[in-house]
Amino acid sequence: MKKILITLLFLIGPIAYGQSAFAKAEQLYRADNYEKALVSFTKLYDQDGDNLGVIERLGDIAGHKKDFKTAMKYYQLLVEKKPKDAHYNFKYGGAMGLYAKSSSKLKALGMLDDIKGYLKKAAKLDPNHIESRHALSQLYCELPGIVGGSIKQSRFYANELLKISPVDGYLAHGLINEYKEEYEKAVISYTKAIETGGSLLTYRKLATVYENKLKDDKKALQTLKRAQKKHKDIQLTADIAGLEIRVQMNE
């Protein structure tokens, strides 16, 4: 019995320490203190290279620093360890896509099948995975037809989003409408997103279409004022003031 107790203490000790150290590193990460978080998570990784939470955070930190090649390295480890995890497949495919965007066109084309493959796998593994469907909708929307782009496929994933999370579906359709320069339709989609979700992002999307695409500063101003009224804890004063000046100048 004594030997068992000693064994348990030795096992529990490092785990408890590791959890405490992870919590401190996580606190740094959530405070956007990525340099210090990187040091802390690297130490944890050196102690236990199989800790999936640590590996994921190292990939996340690299992503925040726009070092997508390093992010890919860590996310690939996650996929190798848990190939049927939708979240890990999404992160790996997403990081690959961001890395491809900063690479040469030839290199990006060579990565395209893998990017699609991991994102589609994430969507297949989890029928309710929102992020992978957002990424696929945007990818198919922005890709030229000659390399596999398809508005039809983009709409397909946007429609899947509508079933899972209506606000995300409307945002995805709004993006497609913007890409097709159908700005009035984009207004309808983003307005529905506001009615469904009402996050600051939904208001900003609508205001941006009014301001930059339809050149209607008055409606952009009205949208931001509505956003400020709903989200009182977020300061939009500077944005609103700039639009008010422009509206007054044009009157």
Side-chain angles (χ1 to χ4, degrees):
M1 183 71 183
K2 185 178 178 181
K3 286 184 179 178
I4 294 172
L5 183 58
I6 290 171
T7 303
L8 286 171
L9 284 171
F10 277 122
L11 285 172
I12 293 168
I15 292 171
Y17 170 78
Q19 287 176 340
S20 175
F22 186 95
K24 290 176 181 176
E26 182 72 2
Q27 193 173 20
L28 290 168
Y29 173 81
R30 291 187 179 279
D32 299 337
N33 195 338
Y34 300 123
E35 292 301 331
K36 287 186 178 179
L38 177 59
V39 172
S40 297
F41 279 114
T42 300
K43 285 181 181 177
L44 289 170
Y45 182 71
D46 290 339
Q47 292 168 13
D48 181 7
D50 291 322
N51 188 311
L52 300 181
V54 171
I55 296 170
E56 183 176 3
R57 277 293 179 248
L58 286 170
D60 294 342
I61 291 167
H64 280 293
K65 297 173 72 176
K66 302 194 186 303
D67 182 0
F68 301 119
K69 190 173 183 179
T70 299
M72 282 168 55
K73 180 186 77 173
Y74 287 116
Y75 294 149
Q76 184 177 13
L77 283 175
L78 293 176
V79 170
E80 287 171 355
K81 291 177 183 295
K82 293 191 72 175
K84 292 186 177 181
D85 188 290
H87 190 58
Y88 293 161
N89 277 276
F90 160 70
K91 285 204 168 187
Y92 186 36
M96 201 180 292
L98 291 167
Y99 178 68
K101 275 192 172 184
S102 61
S103 304
S104 67
K105 287 184 179 180
L106 186 62
K107 191 168 187 177
L109 283 172
M111 298 171 69
L112 194 54
D113 285 344
D114 284 336
I115 295 166
K116 286 182 181 178
Y118 284 105
L119 293 176
K120 285 182 177 180
K121 186 177 179 182
K124 186 177 180 180
L125 285 166
D126 183 354
N128 295 313
H129 200 270
I130 291 170
E131 294 86 356
S132 59
R133 286 168 172 80
H134 255 307
L136 284 163
S137 181
Q138 184 172 347
L139 180 66
Y140 277 107
C141 178
E142 294 179 351
L143 276 176
I146 196 170
V147 292
S150 167
I151 294 298
K152 184 179 179 180
Q153 276 296 100
S154 182
R155 293 280 188 201
F156 170 81
Y157 287 109
N159 285 332
E160 284 203 338
L161 281 170
L162 277 176
K163 298 173 188 175
I164 302 166
S165 171
V167 64
D168 288 288
Y170 291 128
L171 285 171
H173 277 294
L175 179 69
I176 298 166
N177 293 331
E178 280 196 73
Y179 185 82
K180 292 185 69 181
E181 298 183 1
E182 296 176 347
Y183 301 125
E184 294 295 345
K185 288 184 179 180
V187 165
I188 293 170
S189 294
Y190 291 142
T191 299
K192 287 181 178 178
I194 289 172
E195 292 168 352
T196 308
S199 68
L200 182 60
L201 174 65
T202 60
Y203 284 100
R204 282 198 178 278
K205 286 285 188 180
L206 179 58
T208 299
V209 171
Y210 278 134
E211 182 181 0
N212 296 334
K213 305 300 183 182
L214 295 173
K215 306 302 179 185
D216 192 333
D217 291 336
K218 187 174 286 187
K219 285 188 177 179
L221 177 60
Q222 290 170 353
T223 303
L224 286 184
K225 282 185 173 180
R226 285 167 55 207
Q228 183 70 86
K229 189 176 181 180
K230 182 176 177 64
H231 299 278
K232 295 183 175 67
D233 56 327
I234 298 172
Q235 286 296 321
L236 296 170
T237 310
D239 295 324
I240 290 171
L243 280 168
E244 281 179 335
I245 292 169
R246 279 164 49 184
V247 168
Q248 289 171 7
M249 288 175 64
N250 292 329
E251 285 181 344

